[in-house]
């Protein structure tokens, strides 16, 4: 083809083109002909050039068919790679519009196209996409089926995915069992059907693909567990808060200092205590000096220079009404921590014999020594331990946020989250039990250990936690599919 003229107008480029092949084949008899009968002009839209719209004036020739046996006397030349016979757009232009539509959507595509110098409408884009030839899906062995919404919460369809190629193979207009079953009838190769926990797809698969193994989709199983955990957390959190209020109203020995169970540690040895008191004394002396200098009218910066302190510390001390005690050093985690709530409970029940308490927790798996139990008990004689732990740590969570502490891999929790989780578990024996069950279920899911499902269900039955029991009974009804998952 030959460009004869290019004009730049307000609306873009106007390009005049002629085809130059010496011959053209008759569309009826396929005989080439070189005798031109006449010319006519076609107006075509073409792909934009540097953001300008392009209009082609294409001069098309009509040829006479010289084949005496052919019915066609005159035919217009064909440009098969360039434009369809009756089209008003070039093929490459149509392809651009289709690509934009596939990558975006009707409305978004129309907006993007306008920016690129392509004039089209939402409807035109959708028509092109609908007009694409059906891609044959071939045989599907591993099918994933789930619902999706055309309009959230109102109208649903079904999406079918080939789990091997990870491609959508079909969409169905509703989420009825019959519609899904009809589709499965036409796909007799189905080997595995992975589906949600609802009954519709399960019954469709048992009806129309009885040969296929049904799998409960792991995503949905874990989601159900998460929902059950939320309910459990909501209940236990309320119980913890209620217990805390009660505890406060009937504190047994108000003259003893109160420490939280997390801070429970053996009394410090004499030498350590001495050193700590010495540190405190020297800090207190400096505090007095700061106050004195402050009263003399020195600025915090001057005081800081004099005493070798940071000016921030000086400012803080001046602002504080009383001597700010140094923060306690962090407690080292100990193997006793996990048994602390139990020992405390027994202590409050009146069991004050160290050897008895030691034997009881040793039976539960305590790895430490009898002596260290005695050391922890010594603290109980000096202070009252508050069983419901630091309540603020629990209060800052809602059941919806706390659930993530429970279901995430503990290795991915940061330090604060780990401490919060430990607090929550300490505060409620039910939650401690539940946490272990939840984590072992998730481990089973991640490591694909379906054979342990029965043992897990038995443990849940023992636990007596109603929320997990109801989750387990859901699994029980659909056990084969969950185990297969
Ligand atoms: Zn012909």
């Amino acid at each position: 083809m030959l460009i004869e003229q290019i004009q730049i107008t307000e609306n873009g480029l106007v390009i005049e083109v002629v085809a130059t092949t010496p011959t053209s084949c008759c569309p009826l008899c396929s005989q080439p002909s070189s005798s031109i009968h006449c010319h006519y002009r076609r107006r075509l839209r073409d792909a934009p050039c540097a953001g300008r719209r392009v209009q082609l004036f294409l001069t098309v020739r009509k040829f006479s068919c010289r084949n005496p046996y052919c019915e066609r006397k005159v035919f217009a030349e064909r440009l098969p790679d360039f434009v369809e016979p009756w089209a008003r757009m070039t093929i490459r232009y149509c392809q651009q519009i289709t690509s934009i539509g596939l990558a975006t959507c009707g409305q978004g595509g129309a907006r993007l196209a306008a920016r690129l110098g392509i004039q089209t409408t939402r409807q035109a884009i959708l028509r092109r996409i609908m007009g694409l030839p059906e891609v044959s899906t071939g045989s599907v062995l591993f099918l994933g089926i789930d619902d999706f919404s055309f309009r959230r919460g109102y109208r649903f369809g079904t999406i079918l995915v080939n789990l091997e190629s990870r491609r959508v193979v079909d969409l169905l207009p509703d989420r009825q069992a019959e519609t899904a079953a009809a589709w499965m009838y036409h796909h007799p190769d189905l080997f595995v059907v992975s589906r949600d926990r609802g009954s519709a797809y399960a019954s469709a698969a048992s009806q129309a693909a009885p040969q296929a193994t049904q799998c409960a989709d792991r995503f949905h199983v874990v989601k159900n567990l998460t929902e059950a955990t939320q309910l459990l957390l909501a209940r236990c959190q309320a119980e913890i808060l209620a217990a805390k209020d009660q505890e406060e109203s009937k504190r047994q020995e108000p003259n003893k200092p109160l420490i939280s169970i997390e801070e429970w540690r053996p009394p410090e040895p004499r030498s350590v205590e001495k050193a700590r008191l010495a540190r405190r004394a020297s800090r207190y002396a400096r505090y007095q000096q700061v106050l004195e200098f402050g009263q003399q009218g020195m600025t915090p910066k001057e005081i800081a220079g004099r005493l070798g302190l940071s000016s921030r510390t000086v400012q803080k001390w001046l602002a504080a009404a009383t001597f700010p005690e140094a923060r306690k050093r962090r407690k080292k985690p100990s193997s006793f921590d996990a048994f602390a709530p139990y020992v405390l409970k027994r202590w409050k029940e009146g069991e004050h014999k160290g050897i008895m308490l030691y034997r009881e927790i040793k039976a539960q798996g305590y790895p430490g020594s009898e002596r260290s139990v005695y050391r922890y008990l010594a603290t109980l004689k000096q202070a009252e331990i508050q069983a419901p732990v630091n309540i603020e740590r629990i209060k800052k969570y809602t059941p919806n946020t706390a659930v993530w502490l429970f279901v995430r891999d503990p290795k991915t929790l940061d330090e604060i989250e780990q401490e919060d989780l430990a607090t929550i578990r300490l505060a409620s024996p039910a939650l401690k039990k539940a946490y272990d069950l939840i984590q072992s279920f998730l481990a089973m899911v991640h490591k694909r250990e379906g054979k342990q499902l029965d043992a897990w269900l038995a443990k849940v039955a023992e636990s007596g936690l109603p929320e997990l029991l109801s989750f387990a009974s859901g699994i029980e009804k659909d056990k084969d599919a969950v185990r297969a998952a």
Side-chain angles (χ1 to χ4, degrees), residues 32-173:
S33 161
S34 57
S35 57
I36 294 168
H37 178 262
C38 63
H39 294 84
Y40 73 101
R41 298 239 284 180
R42 278 176 81 178
R43 246 162 76 156
L44 295 174
R45 276 192 286 150
D46 193 12
C49 177
R52 290 174 204 257
R53 290 188 213 160
V54 173
Q55 197 161 53
L56 297 183
F57 281 106
L58 175 64
T59 303
V60 186
R61 298 161 298 175
K62 282 191 169 180
F63 289 84
S64 311
C65 184
R66 293 295 183 205
N67 179 356
Y69 305 106
C70 181
E71 283 175 24
R72 187 66 79 80
K73 297 298 164 223
V74 174
F75 65 91
E77 67 182 328
R78 305 285 152 112
L79 303 162
D81 296 332
F82 189 63
V83 62
E84 306 275 358
W86 312 108
R88 293 186 303 180
M89 297 177 188
T90 58
I91 289 171
R92 59 186 181 198
Y93 188 52
C94 295
Q95 282 170 344
Q96 284 191 356
I97 294 174
T98 312
S99 301
I100 289 172
L102 287 175
T104 57
C105 59
Q107 207 141 33
R111 274 202 301 273
L112 173 62
R115 276 302 190 86
L116 301 175
I118 295 173
Q119 196 183 15
T120 185
T121 61
R122 177 168 68 92
Q123 291 84 353
I125 290 177
L126 294 179
R127 242 186 345 261
R128 298 229 162 264
I129 291 172
M130 304 294 187
L132 287 175
E134 297 269 326
V135 181
S136 133
T137 55
S139 87
V140 180
L141 297 179
F142 295 84
L143 176 73
I145 184 168
D146 201 358
D147 57 8
F148 72 93
S149 55
F150 290 104
R151 234 186 109 195
R152 201 169 177 183
Y154 287 91
R155 212 156 69 73
F156 296 89
T158 296
I159 180 166
L160 299 139
V161 178
N162 182 340
L163 293 178
E164 283 180 296
S165 62
R166 293 166 176 249
R167 300 196 75 124
V168 177
V169 288
D170 215 343
L171 298 171
L172 307 178

